[in-house]
Every structure is written in C-alpha cells, then in structure tokens.
Amino acid sequence: MSKFLNLAALTFAVGLTGTTAMAEPTGLGRPATPDEVAAWDIDVRPDGLGLPEGSGSVADGEPIFAERCASCHGDFGEAVDRWPVLAGGIDTLTSARPVKTIGSYWPYLSTVWDYVHRAMPFGDAQSLTADETYSITAYLLYLNDLVDDDFELSRENFTEVAMPNAEGFYPDDRTETAVWKNRAPCMTDCKPEVKITARAQVVDVTPDDPTSKHSMAAPATDEAAKEEATQVAAAPAVDPALVKAGEKVFKKCKACHAVGDKAKHKIGPHLNGIFGRAAGTAEGFKKYSKDMQKAGADGLVWDEETLATFLAKPKSMIKRTKMAFAGLKKEDDLTAVIAYLKAMTE
Amino acid sequence: MTEKTPTSRRTFLKGGLAAGGALAAAPALAAGDPAILEVQPWANELGEGVDVKPYGTPSPYEAHVRRRNVPWLTADPVSSINFTPLHELDGVITPNGLCFERHHSGVAEVDPAKYRLMINGLVERELVFTMADLKRFPRENRAYFLECAANSGMEWRGAQLNGCQFTHGMIHNVIYTGIPLKTILEEAGLKTNAKWIMPEGADAAAMTRSVPIEKALDDCLVAFAMNGEALRPEQGYPVRLVVPGWEGNMWVKWLRRIEVGDMPWHHREETSKYTDLMANGKARRFTWEMDAKSVITNPSPQAPILHGKGKTIITGVAWSGRGTIKEVHVTTDGGRNWHQARIDGPSWDKSMHRFYYEFDWDGSPLLLQSRAVDSTGYVQPTKNELRAVRGENSIYHNNGIQTWHVNANGEAENVEIS
C-alpha cells in the first residue's frame, strides 16, 4: 500500500515495544461474557468471518424483499424516489452518470449481507433472521443477473460468489499525484485573464431562506413565544404523557409517514386528517395498494378502533397493503400512538 | 449558457441593502440618531431575572442562525444531512447546537445508564465498560475539525449552491474531552496480529468503519464531551469516536463496540460509499485524510457586503487533516494576484484556523478566493486541477478553491472561473 501504511507500520512497531513496557491494565471495566459478545458481534467480513449458519434461496428471497424492502427499493431494486438503486448499472462506471449498485460497484458480497442484517429494513433494523438475510442476499444477486433463479446461498457457498467489481478498487494514491507535488504557489501575475464559467444562480437549486437576516424578518419576540406556548398548553384535553409515549412509538412509523405541520407524503401518505377519512383516499397520494383502495370504497373509515385493528396486524386487515410493517404487538403502544396521532392531527 | 432571471434571493438581498443603507444614513439626521436620542425599552424596563432560562439560549435577534438542510439531496430527513451556518460564525470553535448533523437512521437517544462499550476480537481480554468506568481513565482535551468526506461534493460538477453554509457547512470544530483510544485498547491488550479496528454505533444504522491500528494508537479519542459539556445527542451522546483529520464518517457516534481484527471489514461505508470513482471506472478506497482546504465565509452569498465601499474585512476558515495551516492566501481578482491573509487565534493540529484579510473596497466587482497551505507544504488546489486527476465522478474529498463573485452592490454569488 502507500507510504502512509509503511510509515504507519513503523510507528506501530515502535508502539508495540512501548506497549509491553507500560501495558499494566488498570482493572477498569469487566470481562465481556460469551453471550454478550455473541449478541453484539454481528459483523461479517469478505472472508466469511462472522457469517452465521443458515441459507436462503432466490425463491425465498422474492416475497421477503417484496414485503420488507420493495417499498423503498422497488420490486426489482430500481428504487423509489431518491432511495438507493440496488440492481443494474453494469458498465456505467465510466459514464457521465454512473449507477453504483450492488452488481455494478460493490466489491464483496459480505458487505451486502452485513449491511442488510445490521441496518435494514430502514426503521426496523436488526429484525431479519439469518435465513431471511441469506434469502434477500440471494435475491439481490438474482436481480443483478449474477445467479440463476434456482440459486441458494448459504454459509457454505458464500465465499464462492465473486462480485463483478471486486478488482475495481485501489489504495489512496493522492500523495502521488500532480496536485500533491505542486509546492510553489504563484502570488503575482498568475494568469492573464479570468472569465466566469459557471454560476449557481443559473442552476437555481439553493433552498429559500425565510429566516435570513437579509430578509429582515422580525425576530420572534418573547410575547409571541409566550402566546404560542399558552395556546399549545390550552388546546388538547388529552393525556400529555400518553402523547409523549406515542411520539416515541411513532419512530417506528416515521421512515414512511409524516404527521403534523407541513407533513408531506413519503413512502406512505402523511397522516394529517386521517381520523374520519375513508381508507386509501389521502389526497395526492398515488401509491395505495388495490386492497387499501377497495377497503375504503367498501366503507372502511379510519377512527380509533379501525386504526387499532389495522396497526396491530396490518396484513390481517388489508391483505396486500403496501405497508411493510408487521404491526404493534403491545396494547400500550397502540393506545399511545393513536393518542399521538390524534394530538398531532387535531 | 442561458441567463435565467435570478430568483427571489436577489429580491430579498435588495431589501436587505435598502435597510442597510437606511441604517448607515441614520446618524446624518440633523438632531441625531434615534437609537441614542430615544430611551430604548431595555434602558427603561426591567429585564428577566436569573433562572428564567436555566440553560441559556442566543438572543432572539439571532434566530436566523440555524443549521439548514437541502431537502432535495436525500430521500428522507432521517437519513440525511444539514449544514453549519459558517457565515454566521467567527473565531474557530463551532457552538454545539450549530454543529452540522449527519445521521443514517436518525438520532439515537441512548440512556447513559444503559450505555456499554465493548472491546472484542484480537485482544487478551474482551471487556465491557460503563460510563462510570470510562470516566475513571485519564482524559485529554483536544480541538479537532470534523469534516464530512462529501463536504462540497455538490459543487464537484460545477457551482451549484449559493451559500458557504451549503457549499462548505459539513464541518464543525469543537474541543473534545475524551480518553485516548490507545489507553482503552491497551487495557484490553492487543494481540500481535491486531492490525485493524472496527468501531460500531449503537443506533439503528449500527455504523461501522475499518480503521488501521496505527491511527487507533496514534491520536484517536473516545470522547464524551464537546466544548465542555456532554456530547449532544446528534453528535453521538453519550460517547463518540474522534478520528482527527480523517473523514467524518469514521467518527462513529453512539459508539457501542470496538472490534479488533487482522484485516479490514470492507463494510458498506467504505465500499459502496466514501470511495472515489475515477474517470477510468476504478475507485480509490481508504481515502481517509481530509486535505487542506479553506473558504471565505464573509462576504459570501448569504452574507453580502452591506456597507458599501471602503474598509472591508474578508474572513474565512482553513483546515488540514494532515497538520496545521501555515498560510492562507486571498485574491480579489480571481487568482491573478494573491495576498497573505492574517491567521488569528489558535493554530492547533487538525483544527480549524481563522483568517482575515482587511482591505479598502473601491466598490468594483470582485472575484474572491482563498487558498490554504498546510504544515506539510501542501497547497490547496483549484477544482480544475483536481478534476484533471480525478475526472467528473469523484464527488467526495472536494477540497478545491471556492470562488465568490461580488458585484458592485456587495451581493455575492457562487461561481466558477477560468
């Protein structure tokens, strides 16, 4: 590797000599138990270290992907909105708009398994079993045309899968470039003329800033702040502790749903005005399942009771709802999140 | 290039300039300045007593000083970034509440009573520490900048965002209190084949990066305080890793575990992300150091010159992940001639430096740039010099020189020049 590591290796050797001389443990902390290490040591490396027992096929992966992943990544890994594209992009790395996917860019399959297992699905991390993760990984390989549809991935055959871009990376070489070697900056008469070649105002993508002091907006006064505080305090006759608890539960929802002032549709519809509204009819939301729309047409209206039933187990009420959420198991969580939604939408 | 009519920005800048003019004209009134002649409310009425704000907040007149995001950048604010308002700050320390945020699964709210740090892998003793345990180790105070590798990334293909908050605001500079990582690794006892560590976060992203052992034993800190108080939740409360001079993504927040190994893990954030794709389709990886960089924060698009011609202060910040800043040069004519700027304030290793260039503005348009030179002798390059090496697709690690065009009204715009 580069100079850095050579130099660093030297430092390390010196460091080690020092270590043996002064590494008298203080005794702070305590030994980790084997169960504790097993609970947290979830990482997987390219050589397969860290992979648990298990397996899963492309066929197993398809329905799991459809239920847990497709709402953001699309049924074929093509992605919804600005969520990451997972498939395709082969031969685009030298183009003006490279598409960096698992198939076109990621050098190791272990990275896929590790990441899906530790951080996905978004908003419900670390909920996938080892077999489910093998299945999703197999399906992702299939979506990228890297395996056939009868492929099964397991701990045993895992390291046999080679990724197309495995050789696509090399160590940092910035210190070997012309930029690094230029050590004599010019101070006077450095160039004959200067022309503007690009302008941000033409691109026009900077967010507007209503609070800028150059808009000379009046600062919020204490009176205004107090008035707002009184209004908030006087408004709802609900249990604030319950609403607070509901806000925490809503964290499970907010990857896909927004509620309250300025809420917009995300993966799921915003929830303002949900109470008293027919299912599947939020204005401007176009991604409802057919089943959800039908339920609304058949008379399903959202109230505390219907929401409680739906949120306890969405798919038992609306069979093919696109909401990829298993449901709230605890009665307390249900009550709290509904109280929160009421407080936020009234 | 088509000249589109500039947006609402110009309109409100005009408003601002008009107001600024009025302010400057006020003392010329025959009788004198009402701000002096009239008794102001704060000179007459009693103010709030102590304890009204047990945790103080800035003046309401500073309500515009805010972190801000660029909504179109990301799919969702839970996995997104906002920006430090560099144009509103002076000195070298970023206030805790203005440090930019970058989360991959939102802000984890970790209960310090349930906080544990585990060290496992190639060590003699796999250990668990509580907060109380950590606070019994000898600790150090060090100021370091933290810059996201994607800072200025949106500017790689051309001038895009009008404001140094957006072009350069993925950076902050605070004083950390923490335990040298070396101390903690030695407590566990490194095995002879220990070559890498992998810090891991406790949040729902469970962020991981591979860090070579040489860096881990050099200047990394396991930090629990910033600017004298507990870390903010959005900066990793109660404990984060500090990896001085290296890209921000490695500074794992809500640090729960450090595994020691004999090779890198090649996890998502060091393969799919934070690798630098070159024109030939190959990508640099493990580009950890943040190269020397600087930006003029005032004037800049969000902070125009309001006072007209005459005595003018150009100020900005500079930093290098490879040491200190030795010189900053400022040009007002687009790089034809450069002047030495004055560096004032502390010059700490891998920490932000503040520079000033005072001059008499004659009211003619300016093309402002700053150029940093660090303690290794490295000279901050132009974007074109970087593009000549990297091509068009390497959006990370853009440390190229920034240009602001200041017109005769004092309004500044983000531009690129030949």
Side-chain angles (χ1 to χ4, degrees), chain B residues 32-49:
Chain B
D33 185 351
I36 296 172
L37 297 180
E38 292 169 10
V39 176
Q40 301 298 323
W42 52 84
N44 168 247
E45 300 162 0
L46 299 177
E48 288 176 340

Side-chain angles (χ1 to χ4, degrees), chain A residues 43 105 183 197 199 204 211, chain B residues 64 257 259 376 413 416:
Chain A
D43 50 273
Y105 196 63
R183 303 262 143 173
T197 55
R199 303 184 56 188
D204 190 19
T211 64
Chain B
H64 57 282
R257 186 169 73 98
E259 182 166 336
T376 73
E413 186 192 358
E416 286 199 8

